[in-house]
Amino acid sequence: MQAGFVTIDVHGRTRAQAKVAVEAALRRCSPSVYRLRVIHGFNRGTGLRDMLHAEYGGDARVKRILPGANPGITELVLREL
Protein backbone atom coordinates (compact mmCIF):
# COMPACT_ATOMS: atom_id res chain seq x y z
CA MET A 1 0.00 0.00 0.00
CA GLN A 2 1.28 3.41 -0.95
CA ALA A 3 1.17 5.99 1.86
CA GLY A 4 -1.86 8.24 1.51
CA PHE A 5 -3.59 5.92 -0.98
CA VAL A 6 -6.25 3.29 -0.47
CA THR A 7 -6.92 0.98 -3.43
CA ILE A 8 -10.06 -1.05 -3.98
CA ASP A 9 -10.87 -3.39 -6.86
CA VAL A 10 -14.48 -3.38 -8.03
CA HIS A 11 -14.20 -4.69 -11.57
CA GLY A 12 -16.59 -7.50 -12.30
CA ARG A 13 -19.15 -6.12 -9.83
CA THR A 14 -22.48 -4.50 -10.61
CA ARG A 15 -22.89 -0.76 -10.16
CA ALA A 16 -24.76 -1.31 -6.90
CA GLN A 17 -22.09 -3.66 -5.56
CA ALA A 18 -19.33 -1.26 -6.59
CA LYS A 19 -21.08 1.65 -4.88
CA VAL A 20 -21.37 -0.34 -1.63
CA ALA A 21 -17.63 -1.13 -1.80
CA VAL A 22 -16.69 2.51 -2.49
CA GLU A 23 -18.92 3.74 0.34
CA ALA A 24 -17.35 1.25 2.76
CA ALA A 25 -13.86 2.31 1.66
CA LEU A 26 -14.72 5.99 2.12
CA ARG A 27 -15.96 5.29 5.66
CA ARG A 28 -12.76 3.41 6.52
CA CYS A 29 -10.39 6.08 5.17
CA SER A 30 -8.39 7.73 7.91
CA PRO A 31 -7.45 11.43 7.80
CA SER A 32 -4.03 10.45 6.40
CA VAL A 33 -5.63 9.08 3.21
CA TYR A 34 -5.84 11.62 0.43
CA ARG A 35 -6.78 9.41 -2.53
CA LEU A 36 -9.05 6.45 -3.03
CA ARG A 37 -7.88 4.54 -6.09
CA VAL A 38 -10.73 2.52 -7.63
CA ILE A 39 -9.83 -0.25 -10.07
CA HIS A 40 -12.93 -0.78 -12.19
CA GLY A 41 -11.58 -2.19 -15.45
CA PHE A 42 -12.61 -1.03 -18.90
CA ASN A 43 -12.78 -4.05 -21.21
CA ARG A 44 -16.48 -4.58 -20.51
CA GLY A 45 -17.45 -0.94 -20.89
CA THR A 46 -17.42 2.22 -18.85
CA GLY A 47 -20.43 1.64 -16.59
CA LEU A 48 -18.48 1.56 -13.34
CA ARG A 49 -16.35 4.56 -14.28
CA ASP A 50 -19.47 6.48 -15.25
CA MET A 51 -21.13 5.54 -11.95
CA LEU A 52 -18.16 6.92 -10.01
CA HIS A 53 -18.41 10.25 -11.84
CA ALA A 54 -22.20 10.42 -11.43
CA GLU A 55 -22.28 9.42 -7.76
CA TYR A 56 -19.15 11.13 -6.45
CA GLY A 57 -18.71 14.12 -8.76
CA GLY A 58 -20.75 16.30 -6.41
CA ASP A 59 -20.02 14.45 -3.17
CA ALA A 60 -18.66 16.68 -0.38
CA ARG A 61 -16.15 13.98 0.63
CA VAL A 62 -14.54 14.01 -2.83
CA LYS A 63 -12.62 17.11 -3.89
CA ARG A 64 -12.18 15.97 -7.48
CA ILE A 65 -12.04 12.89 -9.68
CA LEU A 66 -8.96 12.04 -11.73
CA PRO A 67 -8.20 9.38 -14.33
CA GLY A 68 -5.73 6.76 -13.15
CA ALA A 69 -2.58 5.45 -14.75
CA ASN A 70 -4.70 3.45 -17.23
CA PRO A 71 -8.34 3.62 -18.42
CA GLY A 72 -9.40 1.00 -15.87
CA ILE A 73 -8.57 3.15 -12.85
CA THR A 74 -10.24 6.24 -11.37
CA GLU A 75 -8.89 8.17 -8.41
CA LEU A 76 -11.13 10.01 -5.97
CA VAL A 77 -9.17 12.86 -4.40
CA LEU A 78 -10.30 13.20 -0.79
CA ARG A 79 -7.92 15.97 0.21
CA GLU A 80 -5.04 17.87 -1.30
CA LEU A 81 -1.46 17.25 -0.27
Side-chain angles (χ1 to χ4, degrees), residues 8 18-29 36 56 61:
I8 61 170
K19 184 173 181 196
V20 167
V22 171
E23 286 293 326
L26 284 170
R27 282 192 306 275
R28 287 191 311 267
C29 285
L36 176 60
Y56 299 102
R61 299 170 292 182

Side-chain angles (χ1 to χ4, degrees), residues 1-6 30 32-36 78-79 81:
M1 179 173 116
Q2 197 173 7
F5 279 79
V6 170
S30 69
S32 65
V33 174
Y34 59 92
R35 285 195 186 181
L36 176 60
L78 308 180
R79 67 181 184 83
L81 285 174

Side-chain angles (χ1 to χ4, degrees), residues 11 38-50 52-53 66-75:
H11 78 282
V38 183
I39 302 169
H40 48 71
F42 69 95
N43 287 332
R44 294 185 186 162
T46 61
L48 294 179
R49 184 193 68 200
D50 295 345
L52 290 170
H53 285 270
L66 299 174
N70 70 54
I73 297 173
T74 296
E75 294 188 358

